[in-house]
């Protein structure tokens, strides 16, 4: 058996019941097999065995009191995966589906994503199975305070800097930051995605969605095309989806779908983003309300946005939301590109199929890296006690995304797999981390 399959078998044996982590490890390790074969030093120094094992995994009880006076208990997680190239960095997910396997898949992906940004940040992820939906502000506050009263022991501006993710937006980051400050007495850049009045960066809110669109535009440019005039389908209606829709529309595309966990909308005239923002960001409501703003739009509770004909598809909701049959429909409808705003939204067989059919497929670890890259820019501003203008941050973000496309394109070609951006992104992300690990010795 090969080195890669030996390591993958050990991952499965040692981490039972963590299918998402197995899926992420398989995708990365199989696509870097070419590099590992070319470089025997990686096997000799057990780089793969080390890279699939987190530095540490922290799990803790999060008790909080609901508005009825009942004590509720959730589970908290922080997986610090790898800090070979910089302090741990990665978001906190608050969603009932959260478990250790999901946090490990996200933390593992984060290592390579953070490396691709070219910035000095290591990989981590955390969160809880707490569901902020349907909770009052006071309940969310009490949860965040309890969560941070344990997490604060393990994080710091130069050790581990968490951020937002699904279910963790500006409100949750604010409550957690306040608690950290109170417990430690430190006013430091320990979290990113902070509000603008207390150390947040302009353009951080927009960064993941904008970055996705910048990378896609570069990928299309490389193929002699552009977003202008294209029809786009988007899934999700959260932070990533909203700003992807905004930037794609600005660049002349027409976005016709969005979704949430209850259903999806199809607006053939182009999504009214002002309406979606009001529903989601102001009212914390459901997309079913969209019909109140646009009576002509369709709302569906079955099927998916991938059945709608489009040139470009942006999955921006969650993992494993685009399957093989969706990919076949997209190909039948002549999709040109699929770029992932979410982490691992496409099933592996669906991703392979898209690549085989010549669709330009940009994996999340490259396409959505604009969020963490801008978080790293927030860290820089906090360290310097400065804040840059929106235009400055946006320009840096755009450069970073163009550079990420360049790296994944170059590495795909280098290994004879033109336009296989999964291979290109994984190889580029891996080499930098592996070389840093080698330089730092067998620790
Ligand atoms: P939000 O919580 O703001 O939005 C998530 C969206 O996806 C909501 O519309 C939500 O619907 C929907 N959704 C979540 N889970 C499910 C599910 N199980 N089934 C169907 N729909 C679902 O999160 P973000 O926009 O921040 O994150 C979206 C994705 O992007 C995630 O994969 C995240 O890891 C990734 N990402 C985010 C970054 C960021 O900067 N925010 C950076 C890089 C990646 P509902 O409201 O009904 O729950």
């Amino acid at each position: 058996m090969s080195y890669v399959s030996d390591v993958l078998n050990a991952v499965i044996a040692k981490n039972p019941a963590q299918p998402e982590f197995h899926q992420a490890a398989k995708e990365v390790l199989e696509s870097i097999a070419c590099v590992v074969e070319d470089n025997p030093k990686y096997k000799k120094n057990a780089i793969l065995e080390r890279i699939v094992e987190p530095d540490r995994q922290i799990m803790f009880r999060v008790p909080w009191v609901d508005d009825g006076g009942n004590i509720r208990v959730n589970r908290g997680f922080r997986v610090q995966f790898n800090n070979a190239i910089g302090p741990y960095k990665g978001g906190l997910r608050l969603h009932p589906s959260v478990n250790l396997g999901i946090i490990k898949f996200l933390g593992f992906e984060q290592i390579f994503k953070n490396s691709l940004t070219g910035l000095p940040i290591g990989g981590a992820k955390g969160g809880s199975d707490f569901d902020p939906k349907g909770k009052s502000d006071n309940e969310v506050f009490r949860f965040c305070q309890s969560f941070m009263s344990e997490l604060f022991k393990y994080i710091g501006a130069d050790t581990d800097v968490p951020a937002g993710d699904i279910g963790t937006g500006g409100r949750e980051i604010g409550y957690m930051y306040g608690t950290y400050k109170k417990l430690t007495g430190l006013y430091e850049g320990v979290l990113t995605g902070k509000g603008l009045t207390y150390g947040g960066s302009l353009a951080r809110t927009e960064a993941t969605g904008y970055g996705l669109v910048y990378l896609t535009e570069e990928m299309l440019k490389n193929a002699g095309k552009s977003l202008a005039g294209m029809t786009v389908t988007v899934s999700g209606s959260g932070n990533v989806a909203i700003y992807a829709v905004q930037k794609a529309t600005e660049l002349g595309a027409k976005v016709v779908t969005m979704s949430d966990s209850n259903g999806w909308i199809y607006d053939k005239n182009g999504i009214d983003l002002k309406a979606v923002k009001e529903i989601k960001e102001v009212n914390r409501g459901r997309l079913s309300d969209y019909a109140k703003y646009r009576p002509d739009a369709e709302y569906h509770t079955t099927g998916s946005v991938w059945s709608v004909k489009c040139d470009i598809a942006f999955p921006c909701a969650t993992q494993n939301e685009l399957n093989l049959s969706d990919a076949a429909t997209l190909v039948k409808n002549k999709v040109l590109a699929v770029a992932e705003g979410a982490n691992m939204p496409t099933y592996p067989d669906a991703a392979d199929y898209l690549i085989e059919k010549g669709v330009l497929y940009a994996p999340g670890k490259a396409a959505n890296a604009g969020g963490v890259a801008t978080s790293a820019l927030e860290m820089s501003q906090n360290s310097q006690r400065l804040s840059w203008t929106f235009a400055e941050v946006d320009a840096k973000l755009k450069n970073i995304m163009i550079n990420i496309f360049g790296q994944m394109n170059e590495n795909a070609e280098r290994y004879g797999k033109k336009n296989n951006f999964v291979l290109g992104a994984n190889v580029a992300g891996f080499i930098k981390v592996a070389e840093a690990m080698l330089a730092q010795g067998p620790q």
Side-chain angles (χ1 to χ4, degrees):
M1 266 203 293
S2 73
Y3 177 39
V4 163
S5 47
D6 283 348
V7 174
L8 281 174
N9 287 337
V11 165
I12 293 165
K14 285 170 92 172
N15 303 278
Q18 297 181 359
E20 292 85 1
F21 177 48
H22 303 166
Q23 184 180 332
K26 188 167 182 312
E27 187 228 74
V28 172
L29 265 52
E30 287 184 347
S31 66
I32 58 165
C34 47
V35 183
V36 174
E37 272 161 33
D38 280 0
N39 292 278
K41 62 185 178 182
Y42 294 146
K43 182 175 179 187
K44 188 159 175 271
N45 288 278
I47 291 292
L48 296 190
E49 291 89 329
R50 285 197 272 151
I51 215 164
V52 296
E53 193 66 39
D55 289 352
R56 65 196 61 78
Q57 311 179 43
I58 301 147
M59 277 173 63
F60 50 96
R61 183 176 64 234
V62 190
W64 54 280
V65 181
D66 70 19
D67 288 345
N70 308 298
I71 299 173
R72 309 273 285 263
V73 180
N74 285 100
R75 185 172 277 181
F77 301 88
R78 186 71 180 165
V79 173
Q80 296 177 331
F81 228 112
N82 188 300
N83 67 352
I85 64 168
Y88 303 109
K89 180 101 200 81
L92 297 171
R93 178 172 292 192
L94 299 182
H95 193 270
S97 64
V98 163
N99 58 39
L100 184 60
I102 288 189
I103 298 298
K104 278 169 73 178
F105 120 63
L106 290 162
F108 184 69
E109 287 280 293
Q110 199 82 43
I111 304 172
F112 308 99
K113 178 191 306 194
N114 292 3
S115 165
L116 275 172
T117 65
L119 301 167
I121 37 180
K125 198 81 186 187
S128 171
D129 56 1
F130 172 79
D131 188 358
K133 267 205 270 320
K135 306 285 189 304
S136 69
D137 284 351
N138 280 332
E139 289 178 321
V140 171
F141 173 73
R142 288 193 291 270
F143 167 82
C144 290
Q145 191 177 47
S146 177
F147 181 78
M148 186 51 87
S149 67
E150 181 65 25
L151 186 68
F152 87 100
K153 298 170 193 165
Y154 309 101
I155 61 177
D158 294 313
T159 46
D160 183 357
V161 184
D165 189 70
I166 291 179
T168 308
R171 174 182 60 174
E172 291 75 17
I173 292 288
Y175 293 160
M176 290 183 197
Y177 188 73
T179 307
Y180 179 88
K181 185 165 61 69
K182 188 160 184 186
L183 289 168
T184 61
L186 294 169
Y187 206 105
E188 59 174 11
V190 69
L191 291 166
T192 56
K194 299 187 291 300
L196 295 176
T197 51
Y198 64 96
S201 173
L202 285 160
R204 173 60 190 94
T205 308
E206 293 82 357
T208 310
Y210 277 23
L212 169 69
V213 175
Y214 292 147
L215 181 128
T216 304
E217 184 70 331
E218 188 64 15
M219 181 167 75
L220 290 172
K221 190 171 141 200
N222 190 55
K225 300 188 162 60
S226 129
L227 263 172
M230 300 257 174
T231 299
V232 176
T233 51
V234 170
S235 66
S237 49
N239 172 260
V240 179
I242 285 176
Y243 293 97
V245 172
Q246 182 165 308
K247 186 50 80 177
T249 309
E250 244 177 74
L251 295 185
K254 182 163 82 170
V255 183
V256 293
T257 68
M258 291 184 88
S259 66
D260 63 20
S261 43
N262 296 100
W264 56 281
I265 51 174
Y266 170 55
D267 189 338
K268 64 178 186 321
N269 300 314
I271 294 286
D272 176 353
L273 196 59
K274 203 163 153 249
V276 173
K277 282 182 154 188
E278 191 168 304
I279 296 168
K280 287 287 167 183
E281 293 184 339
V282 182
N283 304 337
R284 295 184 187 272
R286 314 307 302 156
L287 272 187
S288 48
D289 288 345
Y290 187 77
K292 290 183 196 151
Y293 299 80
R294 290 277 188 108
D296 287 352
E298 295 172 20
Y299 177 70
H300 300 270
T301 52
T302 54
S304 85
V305 299
W306 314 126
S307 59
V308 173
K309 186 169 167 44
C310 67
D311 304 304
I312 314 285
F314 288 142
C316 295
T318 191
Q319 67 273 1
N320 293 335
E321 52 154 321
L322 194 163
N323 63 26
L324 185 57
S325 128
D326 298 323
T329 307
L330 286 167
V331 168
K332 193 168 83 72
N333 286 338
K334 303 208 164 19
V335 72
L336 277 171
V338 175
E340 299 181 335
N343 284 310
M344 210 169 74
T346 311
Y347 280 93
D349 55 354
D352 291 346
Y353 181 79
L354 292 171
I355 295 170
E356 185 194 310
K357 294 293 173 188
V359 175
L360 299 172
Y361 167 69
K365 70 170 67 69
N368 69 34
V372 75
T374 307
S375 279
L377 300 179
E378 182 174 330
M379 289 163 71
S380 304
Q381 294 169 78
N382 292 163
S383 300
Q384 291 179 304
R385 305 259 188 264
L386 287 174
S387 38
W388 303 335
T389 64
F390 190 100
E392 277 176 286
V393 179
D394 191 36
K396 288 187 202 307
L397 167 66
K398 195 167 180 181
N399 269 336
I400 289 169
M401 299 316 294
I402 290 173
N403 186 267
I404 291 176
F405 175 75
Q407 290 181 66
M408 69 182 195
N409 191 35
E410 197 184 300
N411 278 288
E413 288 189 4
R414 187 164 133 209
Y415 284 94
K417 302 267 180 170
K418 190 171 161 55
N419 287 353
N420 184 334
F421 302 128
V422 172
L423 180 139
N426 284 331
V427 167
F430 170 75
I431 290 176
K432 183 173 167 193
V433 177
E435 290 298 320
M437 288 170 74
L438 278 179
Q440 293 166 24
Q443 347 229 6

